[in-house]
Amino acid sequence: MAHERKGDAMFNSAKRPVALAVASVFLFSACATNPDGSYRLDERATGALIGAAAGCAIGAAAKGSQGCLAGAVIGATAGFLIAWYFESKKIADAQQVNSEYEKQVKTQAKGKAKEQQIAAAVPRNDVIPAKFESKVQTAAPDASGQKEVQITANTDLVGYGDKVPEVQQKYAIYDENNKLVEEKTEKLAAVDGAGRYQTNSKFKLPADAKGKNYTVKTALVSNGKTYKESAYKVTVLDGQMQFAALY
């Protein structure tokens, strides 16, 4: 038993560099350059590393070192299927957006309750979401010629509150069997109060996506509460992507 435990320990210490070596094959194109010239790993690289380690462990349990190598290759590839990009920016300031909504309410409101209706739509002591709209389209091909799915969303936050809400956008991708392929939660880093914000995200579908249907969902979350969710059907046919809004 002691000999077996020693052998297992030696193998466990040896299989980790195998998995990392395999994953490193996938990492070069996933490295991002910081402003100071240093490098960091994006989420694709992290996925490759995790996938390689997991694949090595599973393969090793069945076939020893050879299983580790094969499992690491499969695991790294699986962790590298979805390439992800996200950015957020402010495109209109608080004064403009608050004014737009106040004018909109004024044209609709009637009677003595007009001021109360305006205050309810554009709160004096809070900042709340008032609109979330998104659209899905095909992004321009990347350097390798592979097409990407792009999701562009506009969010309006209104109000005069001093406390800045934490605003996130959630994404989920499901395959044709309604199995979750990938999910992401991204913080809108540009949020500093009321205003209009735009987010852009891009991702590549798995290599075997041709002829399959995917469901893409995106939701706006403010201070932990979901404000609105939208869903789209994405189909890849003859090299072309087709989109249909579900809700």
Side-chain angles (χ1 to χ4, degrees), residues 1-14 16:
M1 290 294 292
H3 177 73
E4 290 179 1
R5 285 195 295 270
K6 182 178 180 181
D8 290 342
M10 293 177 62
F11 176 70
N12 288 334
S13 63
R16 285 191 291 269

Side-chain angles (χ1 to χ4, degrees), residues 170-227:
K170 291 187 175 182
Y171 301 87
I173 305 168
Y174 298 85
D175 65 14
E176 55 191 357
N177 297 315
N178 203 35
K179 180 180 179 182
L180 182 65
V181 177
E182 185 107 356
E183 61 182 354
K184 299 283 184 182
T185 298
E186 300 284 359
K187 181 179 179 180
L188 275 65
V191 173
D192 57 7
R196 181 165 294 125
Y197 298 88
Q198 185 176 89
T199 61
N200 284 293
S201 59
K202 293 187 295 184
F203 64 89
K204 298 175 185 176
L205 290 172
D208 63 349
K210 185 176 180 180
K212 297 181 179 180
N213 295 316
Y214 289 84
T215 299
V216 177
K217 296 182 179 181
T218 182
L220 184 76
V221 179
S222 178
N223 287 336
K225 296 182 179 179
T226 299
Y227 171 72

Side-chain angles (χ1 to χ4, degrees), residues 141-175:
D142 63 7
S144 67
Q146 185 174 358
K147 294 181 179 180
E148 297 178 299
V149 177
Q150 178 174 307
I151 304 174
T152 302
N154 286 335
T155 298
D156 287 355
L157 300 179
V158 298
Y160 293 92
D162 295 328
K163 189 175 182 179
V164 178
E166 181 176 280
V167 183
Q168 298 172 317
Q169 194 166 342
K170 291 187 175 182
Y171 301 87
I173 305 168
Y174 298 85
D175 65 14

Side-chain angles (χ1 to χ4, degrees), residues 16-213:
R16 285 191 291 269
V18 171
L20 292 175
V22 172
S24 67
V25 175
F26 298 88
L27 301 186
F28 179 76
S29 62
C31 287
T33 304
N34 294 317
D36 61 2
S38 61
Y39 292 94
R40 60 182 172 83
L41 299 181
D42 69 11
E43 292 185 351
R44 291 178 295 159
T46 304
L49 284 169
I50 294 173
C56 174
I58 294 171
K63 297 183 179 180
S65 60
Q66 290 183 343
C68 170
L69 181 59
V73 172
I74 295 172
T77 305
F80 199 71
L81 288 176
I82 303 293
W84 194 264
Y85 164 86
F86 178 85
E87 69 170 2
S88 64
K89 59 184 178 181
K90 192 171 188 176
I91 58 176
D93 63 22
Q95 181 179 356
Q96 176 183 332
V97 174
N98 282 336
S99 178
E100 288 178 5
Y101 280 84
E102 287 173 345
K103 288 180 180 178
Q104 181 179 327
V105 176
K106 284 179 181 179
T107 60
Q108 299 173 351
K110 296 180 180 180
K112 296 181 180 179
K114 182 180 292 187
E115 292 301 320
Q116 293 179 349
Q117 293 180 50
I118 293 173
V122 186
R124 299 298 167 185
N125 300 309
D126 201 359
V127 176
I128 62 173
K131 182 186 289 186
F132 175 68
E133 295 180 337
S134 61
K135 66 177 181 179
V136 176
Q137 60 190 356
T138 304
D142 63 7
S144 67
Q146 185 174 358
K147 294 181 179 180
E148 297 178 299
V149 177
Q150 178 174 307
I151 304 174
T152 302
N154 286 335
T155 298
D156 287 355
L157 300 179
V158 298
Y160 293 92
D162 295 328
K163 189 175 182 179
V164 178
E166 181 176 280
V167 183
Q168 298 172 317
Q169 194 166 342
K170 291 187 175 182
Y171 301 87
I173 305 168
Y174 298 85
D175 65 14
E176 55 191 357
N177 297 315
N178 203 35
K179 180 180 179 182
L180 182 65
V181 177
E182 185 107 356
E183 61 182 354
K184 299 283 184 182
T185 298
E186 300 284 359
K187 181 179 179 180
L188 275 65
V191 173
D192 57 7
R196 181 165 294 125
Y197 298 88
Q198 185 176 89
T199 61
N200 284 293
S201 59
K202 293 187 295 184
F203 64 89
K204 298 175 185 176
L205 290 172
D208 63 349
K210 185 176 180 180
K212 297 181 179 180
N213 295 316

